[in-house]
Amino acid sequence: MVAGGPGSGKSVIALSVMGELARRGQTVLHATGSRVFTQTLRRYAGRGSTRLQGMFKYFGSPGRVLGCRRFGGKGVSVHA
């Protein structure tokens, strides 16, 4: 798990890990509790590709989604 406050680089690390896992043929998803942040990721990181846009998920309520756990917006958990 990578922990830190807003702007500390958690999402940069997650996107880097996602890219590497995808290059290795793994199925990857990025799930967040922020609808606005999810929309921003879809717009910029997924630009021009509906397949890439589909990798970014919003789960608006506490708990588990797609094998990922929510960490109160302060952590990233990578499950391979």
Side-chain angles (χ1 to χ4, degrees):
M1 182 173 110
V2 178
S8 62
K10 298 180 305 291
S11 296
V12 172
I13 293 168
L15 292 172
S16 177
V17 171
M18 283 179 67
E20 181 58 33
L21 291 173
R23 279 187 286 281
R24 294 179 184 190
Q26 298 288 317
T27 300
V28 295
L29 296 174
H30 182 286
T32 178
S34 169
R35 183 184 312 264
V36 172
F37 186 58
T38 300
Q39 291 170 342
T40 300
L41 286 171
R42 286 176 181 159
R43 184 177 309 117
Y44 294 103
R47 180 179 51 227
S49 170
T50 55
R51 182 184 67 81
L52 288 177
Q53 290 172 1
M55 291 180 179
F56 301 101
K57 305 292 182 183
Y58 165 69
F59 62 87
S61 63
R64 294 176 183 243
V65 62
L66 304 170
C68 299
R69 284 184 283 167
R70 184 174 182 192
F71 292 98
K74 296 182 181 174
V76 174
S77 178
V78 177
H79 300 269

